[in-house]
Amino acid sequence: MAEITAAVDEQGANKLLDAAIAAIGTQVKSGSGSLGPFVANYTISGTLTNGDVDLIPPSTIRIVDLRLDWQIDFSFGIDLSDILPDFCLPQVCIDIPCVGEVCTPKICIDWPTISVPISFGDFLKTTADFEVVASLVGGDWIVSIKILGVPNLQFGATTAALLAAIGLAVTPILLAIPFLGPFLAIAVNAILAAIGIAGLTGFLGPIITPFVSGLTFQIYKQPKNFEVLPAAGAFDPAVDITIDALAAVVANSGEDELILTADVSP
Amino acid sequence: MYDEFDSRALRRTDCFGQRFMKAGTYRYGVFPANGQHLSLERPFAIKVDEARPGQRMKQHTVTLSVVKGGFKPDKPEITIEAGDMVVWNCPEKAMTPYAVVGDKEFFASSRLVNECGYSHAFGLPGDYHWVDAFGGPVQGVVRVRDPGVKTKDDLEKWRQTLAQGTVVMIDDQQAKPREIEIFVGQTVFFAVTKSAGLSITDERLLETRK
């Protein structure tokens, strides 16, 4: 039989998880990924905020509206000659008074490769189920909650906004390229069509999902051996106990509670 | 990116033209812009024969390519008749700004003297105030307008305007017309009839270098 039992209700669990999730802080990752046909190098930061905790016996902690605020800075290169038609200035002939006709040769323009930097942030909310896990790591008992499965993250509105942001970012870059102005609409549409909603989802999904999938929060840590009473004199030594076993469950005893039970020995 | 407009530093969409009025051999070299003093070598030549009576001016185009150590004309030596014009252009992507510089005072793209010209196709909209970088009084403005292409038809109409060039006649004192308006992509030919030596240089380039 358990010798120590501790329980928290949903309100308490909410506070516990508020602190545990806040302790994770802002996480930053860098890498590269496919943005449609382009390769984008990115740096992304993500910060989680607790939602509403729902304790579901026998072992599930559900967080409703777990929020992830994310900010991504990425850049990708576009070889404009891949998307724009070849362009040549035609031969231009002019009549110079008292001299005669002079013609320039036909001159073809090579479209350059451009780099488009984008800075974009948004948030998403998801509902995720976690399990409670107690384990002995080194000399410490650790109670964590660990996400079950990979939640489905919805990027619907985000992708539309990000596509618009890419359009806004690419426009001034294109306008600065000689002779490209008249092809601007063609170029922007071609770039956005090449990326598409699918390209953005395919880019964001693998980058953002890891902030949530595999999530583990530590909610309690206790040394296996610890002092419960300090020494009070030469003939009254400190009293130490050992936690031999620790278990965590979700149970209903009138209301849903997260219960920790510990078996101890001197 | 910036549409640099300076006859002293020829670029891909620029041409330099020079008429040769007297018979003789005119040697020249092609150098990186401002680099003509690095070498006294003038490895290429224009041989000018006497003009046949009643002969009209003919144009000879020389295409430059970029090679290790500089530029190379497709015809290192050409023979023309007095009064003919030679036009140089380097269409290569890898080109750096350059100057065509001859062994005679009148023959240099870096300093336009007489019976010569410089053409530039304007790639970006804006007002280009040009001056003589050598301090002469001649100056002018090229107003380059965005053609406002919105449809495929607009694009086609714009393309058709590209073959229409504009001439600005220049002598020591003035440019005629002093102010012109064109669309993006159109070419202006600045024809210098007589001068002590001038350039056609975007004023902003001089301000940058002050």
PDB file of all heavy atoms in Angstrom, chain A residues 152-174:
ATOM      1  N   ASN A 152      -2.916  16.928 -35.065  1.00  0.00           N
ATOM      2  CA  ASN A 152      -3.067  17.463 -36.424  1.00  0.00           C
ATOM      3  C   ASN A 152      -3.089  18.989 -36.343  1.00  0.00           C
ATOM      4  O   ASN A 152      -3.998  19.577 -35.776  1.00  0.00           O
ATOM      5  CB  ASN A 152      -4.374  16.912 -37.013  1.00  0.00           C
ATOM      6  CG  ASN A 152      -4.552  17.335 -38.448  1.00  0.00           C
ATOM      7  OD1 ASN A 152      -3.572  17.674 -39.127  1.00  0.00           O
ATOM      8  ND2 ASN A 152      -5.781  17.334 -38.910  1.00  0.00           N
ATOM      9  N   LEU A 153      -2.049  19.613 -36.886  1.00  0.00           N
ATOM     10  CA  LEU A 153      -1.974  21.068 -36.818  1.00  0.00           C
ATOM     11  C   LEU A 153      -2.585  21.668 -38.079  1.00  0.00           C
ATOM     12  O   LEU A 153      -2.250  21.263 -39.189  1.00  0.00           O
ATOM     13  CB  LEU A 153      -0.506  21.508 -36.677  1.00  0.00           C
ATOM     14  CG  LEU A 153       0.247  20.883 -35.492  1.00  0.00           C
ATOM     15  CD1 LEU A 153       1.695  21.370 -35.474  1.00  0.00           C
ATOM     16  CD2 LEU A 153      -0.427  21.194 -34.171  1.00  0.00           C
ATOM     17  N   GLN A 154      -3.454  22.616 -37.895  1.00  0.00           N
ATOM     18  CA  GLN A 154      -4.150  23.235 -39.029  1.00  0.00           C
ATOM     19  C   GLN A 154      -3.454  24.546 -39.402  1.00  0.00           C
ATOM     20  O   GLN A 154      -3.281  25.415 -38.572  1.00  0.00           O
ATOM     21  CB  GLN A 154      -5.608  23.512 -38.653  1.00  0.00           C
ATOM     22  CG  GLN A 154      -6.396  22.269 -38.273  1.00  0.00           C
ATOM     23  CD  GLN A 154      -6.589  21.298 -39.437  1.00  0.00           C
ATOM     24  OE1 GLN A 154      -6.673  21.705 -40.586  1.00  0.00           O
ATOM     25  NE2 GLN A 154      -6.622  20.007 -39.119  1.00  0.00           N
ATOM     26  N   PHE A 155      -3.066  24.656 -40.668  1.00  0.00           N
ATOM     27  CA  PHE A 155      -2.379  25.877 -41.118  1.00  0.00           C
ATOM     28  C   PHE A 155      -3.209  26.665 -42.136  1.00  0.00           C
ATOM     29  O   PHE A 155      -2.666  27.491 -42.855  1.00  0.00           O
ATOM     30  CB  PHE A 155      -1.043  25.502 -41.784  1.00  0.00           C
ATOM     31  CG  PHE A 155      -0.071  24.861 -40.863  1.00  0.00           C
ATOM     32  CD1 PHE A 155       0.301  23.549 -41.035  1.00  0.00           C
ATOM     33  CD2 PHE A 155       0.481  25.582 -39.815  1.00  0.00           C
ATOM     34  CE1 PHE A 155       1.222  22.945 -40.192  1.00  0.00           C
ATOM     35  CE2 PHE A 155       1.399  24.992 -38.973  1.00  0.00           C
ATOM     36  CZ  PHE A 155       1.775  23.670 -39.156  1.00  0.00           C
ATOM     37  N   GLY A 156      -4.489  26.372 -42.220  1.00  0.00           N
ATOM     38  CA  GLY A 156      -5.321  26.952 -43.269  1.00  0.00           C
ATOM     39  C   GLY A 156      -5.147  28.449 -43.466  1.00  0.00           C
ATOM     40  O   GLY A 156      -4.647  28.912 -44.497  1.00  0.00           O
ATOM     41  N   ALA A 157      -5.545  29.232 -42.471  1.00  0.00           N
ATOM     42  CA  ALA A 157      -5.497  30.695 -42.609  1.00  0.00           C
ATOM     43  C   ALA A 157      -4.055  31.175 -42.673  1.00  0.00           C
ATOM     44  O   ALA A 157      -3.734  32.145 -43.355  1.00  0.00           O
ATOM     45  CB  ALA A 157      -6.215  31.342 -41.435  1.00  0.00           C
ATOM     46  N   THR A 158      -3.183  30.469 -41.956  1.00  0.00           N
ATOM     47  CA  THR A 158      -1.780  30.872 -41.910  1.00  0.00           C
ATOM     48  C   THR A 158      -1.137  30.823 -43.292  1.00  0.00           C
ATOM     49  O   THR A 158      -0.420  31.736 -43.677  1.00  0.00           O
ATOM     50  CB  THR A 158      -1.005  29.922 -40.975  1.00  0.00           C
ATOM     51  OG1 THR A 158      -1.565  30.037 -39.692  1.00  0.00           O
ATOM     52  CG2 THR A 158       0.468  30.251 -40.938  1.00  0.00           C
ATOM     53  N   THR A 159      -1.422  29.750 -44.021  1.00  0.00           N
ATOM     54  CA  THR A 159      -0.766  29.608 -45.325  1.00  0.00           C
ATOM     55  C   THR A 159      -1.207  30.707 -46.279  1.00  0.00           C
ATOM     56  O   THR A 159      -0.396  31.234 -47.039  1.00  0.00           O
ATOM     57  CB  THR A 159      -1.065  28.227 -45.955  1.00  0.00           C
ATOM     58  OG1 THR A 159      -2.456  27.998 -45.877  1.00  0.00           O
ATOM     59  CG2 THR A 159      -0.318  27.135 -45.252  1.00  0.00           C
ATOM     60  N   ALA A 160      -2.483  31.069 -46.222  1.00  0.00           N
ATOM     61  CA  ALA A 160      -2.963  32.150 -47.097  1.00  0.00           C
ATOM     62  C   ALA A 160      -2.235  33.445 -46.756  1.00  0.00           C
ATOM     63  O   ALA A 160      -1.811  34.191 -47.637  1.00  0.00           O
ATOM     64  CB  ALA A 160      -4.467  32.311 -46.952  1.00  0.00           C
ATOM     65  N   ALA A 161      -2.080  33.700 -45.443  1.00  0.00           N
ATOM     66  CA  ALA A 161      -1.403  34.934 -45.021  1.00  0.00           C
ATOM     67  C   ALA A 161       0.075  34.894 -45.397  1.00  0.00           C
ATOM     68  O   ALA A 161       0.651  35.902 -45.819  1.00  0.00           O
ATOM     69  CB  ALA A 161      -1.547  35.115 -43.512  1.00  0.00           C
ATOM     70  N   LEU A 162       0.680  33.718 -45.256  1.00  0.00           N
ATOM     71  CA  LEU A 162       2.104  33.608 -45.576  1.00  0.00           C
ATOM     72  C   LEU A 162       2.325  33.751 -47.091  1.00  0.00           C
ATOM     73  O   LEU A 162       3.300  34.376 -47.525  1.00  0.00           O
ATOM     74  CB  LEU A 162       2.656  32.268 -45.063  1.00  0.00           C
ATOM     75  CG  LEU A 162       4.143  32.006 -45.302  1.00  0.00           C
ATOM     76  CD1 LEU A 162       5.003  33.182 -44.857  1.00  0.00           C
ATOM     77  CD2 LEU A 162       4.589  30.743 -44.576  1.00  0.00           C
ATOM     78  N   LEU A 163       1.420  33.206 -47.867  1.00  0.00           N
ATOM     79  CA  LEU A 163       1.522  33.345 -49.323  1.00  0.00           C
ATOM     80  C   LEU A 163       1.446  34.835 -49.700  1.00  0.00           C
ATOM     81  O   LEU A 163       2.206  35.315 -50.541  1.00  0.00           O
ATOM     82  CB  LEU A 163       0.403  32.554 -49.995  1.00  0.00           C
ATOM     83  CG  LEU A 163       0.678  31.955 -51.368  1.00  0.00           C
ATOM     84  CD1 LEU A 163       1.944  31.118 -51.385  1.00  0.00           C
ATOM     85  CD2 LEU A 163      -0.502  31.123 -51.845  1.00  0.00           C
ATOM     86  N   ALA A 164       0.545  35.541 -49.026  1.00  0.00           N
ATOM     87  CA  ALA A 164       0.428  36.990 -49.279  1.00  0.00           C
ATOM     88  C   ALA A 164       1.722  37.691 -48.867  1.00  0.00           C
ATOM     89  O   ALA A 164       2.196  38.600 -49.554  1.00  0.00           O
ATOM     90  CB  ALA A 164      -0.758  37.560 -48.525  1.00  0.00           C
ATOM     91  N   ALA A 165       2.300  37.255 -47.747  1.00  0.00           N
ATOM     92  CA  ALA A 165       3.547  37.866 -47.263  1.00  0.00           C
ATOM     93  C   ALA A 165       4.683  37.626 -48.269  1.00  0.00           C
ATOM     94  O   ALA A 165       5.525  38.505 -48.493  1.00  0.00           O
ATOM     95  CB  ALA A 165       3.922  37.304 -45.896  1.00  0.00           C
ATOM     96  N   ILE A 166       4.701  36.444 -48.855  1.00  0.00           N
ATOM     97  CA  ILE A 166       5.738  36.151 -49.860  1.00  0.00           C
ATOM     98  C   ILE A 166       5.543  37.061 -51.074  1.00  0.00           C
ATOM     99  O   ILE A 166       6.498  37.629 -51.609  1.00  0.00           O
ATOM    100  CB  ILE A 166       5.707  34.657 -50.267  1.00  0.00           C
ATOM    101  CG1 ILE A 166       6.166  33.802 -49.093  1.00  0.00           C
ATOM    102  CG2 ILE A 166       6.583  34.401 -51.494  1.00  0.00           C
ATOM    103  CD1 ILE A 166       5.995  32.303 -49.303  1.00  0.00           C
ATOM    104  N   GLY A 167       4.293  37.231 -51.479  1.00  0.00           N
ATOM    105  CA  GLY A 167       3.997  38.128 -52.605  1.00  0.00           C
ATOM    106  C   GLY A 167       4.479  39.540 -52.322  1.00  0.00           C
ATOM    107  O   GLY A 167       5.081  40.198 -53.171  1.00  0.00           O
ATOM    108  N   LEU A 168       4.244  40.005 -51.083  1.00  0.00           N
ATOM    109  CA  LEU A 168       4.663  41.366 -50.702  1.00  0.00           C
ATOM    110  C   LEU A 168       6.186  41.477 -50.653  1.00  0.00           C
ATOM    111  O   LEU A 168       6.752  42.493 -51.033  1.00  0.00           O
ATOM    112  CB  LEU A 168       4.087  41.727 -49.323  1.00  0.00           C
ATOM    113  CG  LEU A 168       2.619  42.112 -49.303  1.00  0.00           C
ATOM    114  CD1 LEU A 168       2.152  42.345 -47.865  1.00  0.00           C
ATOM    115  CD2 LEU A 168       2.386  43.377 -50.135  1.00  0.00           C
ATOM    116  N   ALA A 169       6.822  40.418 -50.174  1.00  0.00           N
ATOM    117  CA  ALA A 169       8.286  40.463 -50.032  1.00  0.00           C
ATOM    118  C   ALA A 169       8.986  40.409 -51.394  1.00  0.00           C
ATOM    119  O   ALA A 169      10.021  41.042 -51.592  1.00  0.00           O
ATOM    120  CB  ALA A 169       8.756  39.304 -49.158  1.00  0.00           C
ATOM    121  N   VAL A 170       8.412  39.651 -52.300  1.00  0.00           N
ATOM    122  CA  VAL A 170       9.095  39.428 -53.581  1.00  0.00           C
ATOM    123  C   VAL A 170       8.912  40.623 -54.534  1.00  0.00           C
ATOM    124  O   VAL A 170       9.776  40.901 -55.368  1.00  0.00           O
ATOM    125  CB  VAL A 170       8.598  38.095 -54.198  1.00  0.00           C
ATOM    126  CG1 VAL A 170       7.308  38.258 -54.962  1.00  0.00           C
ATOM    127  CG2 VAL A 170       9.640  37.463 -55.067  1.00  0.00           C
ATOM    128  N   THR A 171       7.815  41.359 -54.355  1.00  0.00           N
ATOM    129  CA  THR A 171       7.511  42.456 -55.296  1.00  0.00           C
ATOM    130  C   THR A 171       8.606  43.519 -55.368  1.00  0.00           C
ATOM    131  O   THR A 171       9.088  43.828 -56.471  1.00  0.00           O
ATOM    132  CB  THR A 171       6.134  43.067 -54.967  1.00  0.00           C
ATOM    133  OG1 THR A 171       5.157  42.049 -55.146  1.00  0.00           O
ATOM    134  CG2 THR A 171       5.800  44.247 -55.878  1.00  0.00           C
ATOM    135  N   PRO A 172       9.039  44.110 -54.246  1.00  0.00           N
ATOM    136  CA  PRO A 172      10.089  45.143 -54.369  1.00  0.00           C
ATOM    137  C   PRO A 172      11.406  44.592 -54.903  1.00  0.00           C
ATOM    138  O   PRO A 172      12.156  45.311 -55.560  1.00  0.00           O
ATOM    139  CB  PRO A 172      10.257  45.667 -52.940  1.00  0.00           C
ATOM    140  CG  PRO A 172       9.629  44.653 -52.053  1.00  0.00           C
ATOM    141  CD  PRO A 172       8.603  43.943 -52.864  1.00  0.00           C
ATOM    142  N   ILE A 173      11.673  43.327 -54.651  1.00  0.00           N
ATOM    143  CA  ILE A 173      12.921  42.734 -55.161  1.00  0.00           C
ATOM    144  C   ILE A 173      12.844  42.649 -56.688  1.00  0.00           C
ATOM    145  O   ILE A 173      13.785  42.992 -57.399  1.00  0.00           O
ATOM    146  CB  ILE A 173      13.150  41.339 -54.536  1.00  0.00           C
ATOM    147  CG1 ILE A 173      13.351  41.487 -53.025  1.00  0.00           C
ATOM    148  CG2 ILE A 173      14.342  40.633 -55.172  1.00  0.00           C
ATOM    149  CD1 ILE A 173      13.336  40.184 -52.264  1.00  0.00           C
ATOM    150  N   LEU A 174      11.699  42.227 -57.175  1.00  0.00           N
ATOM    151  CA  LEU A 174      11.536  42.105 -58.632  1.00  0.00           C
ATOM    152  C   LEU A 174      11.543  43.471 -59.302  1.00  0.00           C
ATOM    153  O   LEU A 174      12.108  43.647 -60.385  1.00  0.00           O
ATOM    154  CB  LEU A 174      10.228  41.377 -58.956  1.00  0.00           C
ATOM    155  CG  LEU A 174      10.136  39.920 -58.515  1.00  0.00           C
ATOM    156  CD1 LEU A 174       8.758  39.354 -58.817  1.00  0.00           C
ATOM    157  CD2 LEU A 174      11.204  39.074 -59.207  1.00  0.00           C
TER     158      LEU A 174
END
